[in-house]
Amino acid sequence: YKAQKRTDYKAPNFTATDIDLTFTLDDTKTIVKNVTRFKRLTSDAKAPLILNGEELKLNYLKVDGINYKFKETKNGVEIPSVPDEFTVELENEINPSANSSLMGLYKSNGTFCTQCEPEGFRRITYSLDRSDVLAKYRVTIIGPEYGCGVLLSNGNLIERGTKKNRPYAIWEDPFPKPSYLFALVAGTFDIVSDTFTTMSGRKVDLELYVDRGAYERGLWAMQSIKDSMKWDEGRWGLEFDLDNFKVVAVDFFNFGAMENKGLNVFNSVYVMVDPTCATDTAFYNVQSVIGHEYFHNYTGDRVTLRDWFQLSLKESLTVFRDQEFSSDVANRALTRLHAINVIRGPQFAEDASPMAHPVRPEEVMEMNNFYTVTIYDKGAEIIRMIHTLIGESRFKKALNDYLHKYDGQAVTIEDFLCCFEESAGVDLSQFRRWYTQAGTPHVKASWTYDEENKNLVLKLSQHTNPTRDQQVKEPFYMPIRMSFLDKEGHDVHPAELSSDGYIILNENEQEYRFTLDRDTLPVILRDFSAPVKLDAPYTIEQLQHMLSFCDDAFIKVDCATTMQNRYIHDNLEIAAAQSVLKDPAELIASYKAILDSVDSQSDLILINETLKIQSIANLMETFDKINIDAIKYAHDALETKVAVSLVNEFVELYGKIRALSANYSVADMGRRAINNSALHMIAVAKCAMDKKKDASDIVLNHYNSSKNMTDKLQAMTDAVHLDLECKTEILKSFEKDWSKDALVFDNFFRVQATVPNKSAIDNVKKLLSHPSYDGKNPNRVRALAGALALSNPVALNDISGEGYDLLCKQISALNDINPSVAARILTPLLSFRRLDEKRQGMILNNLNSLMQMPKLSRSIYEKVSTALK
Ligand code: BAL
Ligand code: ZN
């Protein structure tokens, strides 16, 4: 396999202008007739037409109705001499039932559906399958012989009927689009219908297609579509451009969802919710992902990508937009804190791994490997920094100028940046390094007081460790949001700090002076204004002061997190020796103060985030070398000590705050979240106090007395993870209630795969033989081997090495079934060099075995070979 380089981009020799497809659907032998109009773009009259095609059977091919000479190659067909404008007519066959990779046309639980991004269209028919070839599509779908409920494609329905006993439908999309935005769906669904009247008074028909019998579970997604449309108009002035908008939920899907023009296809996990079967987080995620795909209509579909190296152009902007949507319609602090957690956990891990890559990568072997937290989430942080630098109104103007200027075009990140520079009157030349340099910047802060000038003197420095692709890093340009707190906890605003509230760090070392009283405390990196690791010498008292008085959600939570981190780092050696750790007295005091003052009027979501003991995965990212056993030991000691010391407060909290209804609302999400945290801490405390039976009773009661899945799942998790007596009863009850409902039942697998000790490995082994385990369903794989890999660092890294062996066995089985999913769950093994020698050796053996696999997929090859370099 060979990598492609970003700088190798060449404009296409030909473009397609009109594509007319006729699908005659059949489970194993679907016939695709493809009539495409091509136009030469190059001045080279001898340039051949090269069409991409993979795993297709070509029946015939004609150019302008004539049998031209052409060559079939491994990757498609090559037609050596063609006129400047011409029509290719061809027919090919595909086998949707045999397509387990879920790229191209496949069958998902009885439904025909497609996934074309990034390069799936070439598995449907021969084409110029690249994002800079935009054509108009007309699509005729003839249903399978056994019948079919609905036949869908992008755009407007032109005709529908029955011919020769088979249903058919003809669709036309008025907007030229790249092949990756093509979609086809055929199946039998319940349909949730509604309308939306746009800001100019146009009526848009909305249709949401869900499993038969699951109508009710689609209602929240439909509401979310309308909320997204309204928000995009209100915040950015963007009005929907088609007469209809369709969303389909399918069960087997590699991504979360896909933004095909006018016909979004969703993993059903991001559509199907009701309070009895889905958690508050699931509701929140449905709203956010519906928003994300809808917002792509402008940022991605109307203005698309020149090539896949530009992926972050559409994803970062759209993630930023969906985060702002969730912030405006759900909860800003929660949305921001979740986003920050993704950066400080998986994104920092990716930066520190052999697969570290810039937000605009330079080299790619398999594009599916680059749908990463760096491209998406770090990319969104970059967009957020631009928003910080230029402010909302200039950002809005620049976004509109960009969408207007490049409407209908395939462009680059550079085009986007130039447009923003021009529109907002800002110089982003140094800022561009965020796109070209991989790695996490470390920012170090210190401050002194200059008595003579009454100045607080702040020093900031930045340093980014080398990554494999770049040894030397130039300084980044970053906005550092600041505020200052006096001794009484009041905000003071020195004259030197602009009204925007940020300073710029753009050199390796800089000094800033602020006219302030002595003992004023600088609050640095409010709202996590740049995606960096900050090292600031706050004393514990100063952290407590900020936690009490600072009005920034991130800073509050970060003060608690920093206290936790310090405790873990200070005690790591003791933890490594499995000795007794002292109490985290200051953290407990701060938490006690918070718990004593909580009432139903408090900002429960924020308080809950502040009280959380951070995950082992995020803790790992605060270390260069990872001693997983010591981190786990210290983490558990910290949690237990907090729980035991404050058990009375948690018991009181548990009795005090209850959701008002079993339904989803942002307010009740907060009430349930804090109530569930209290339950967890009580259960942890009781276990540590030799009162495991009490823990079991309260957890079982929690499970049985609630009708809401958030509560039930919390109880099931605590029962299983703390190995409580009620575990068997709860698991049995859950299985009885939900085993026929794949989406909900995924939780049964996930909870057991994430027990934070070795027993998770046995659970996974056992559950692989569960009658409802299906290795072809990506959600199920992600809930079992995926959960072990990505959400259970303790069991995965168990010193027995069984976690590695089990994961690699699953990866090798998946290599033939679904390489994209296989490569994704392989990720944590790539960072093996950060572990101890014994674990390194065991992972290395497994990675070497993977490399020896016959027919090793390109996705796995790229990741493993990069890690082994
Ligand atoms: N474009 C792939 C799925 C998403 O990011 O929306
Ligand atoms: Zn996206």
Side-chain angles (χ1 to χ4, degrees), residues 115 117 255-259 292-293 296 314-315 371 376:
Q115 171 58 36
E117 183 178 359
F255 287 102
M258 179 63 211
E259 71 265 25
H292 180 95
E293 305 311 328
H296 266 313
K314 72 178 173 83
E315 295 306 342
Y371 288 77
Y376 275 63

Side-chain angles (χ1 to χ4, degrees), residues 514-538:
F514 302 97
T515 309
L516 287 162
D517 289 344
R518 188 175 233 303
D519 293 331
T520 310
L521 187 63
V523 179
I524 306 167
L525 204 68
R526 285 171 67 95
D527 200 38
F528 195 64
S529 61
V532 300
K533 287 190 178 181
L534 175 68
D535 176 5
Y538 291 117

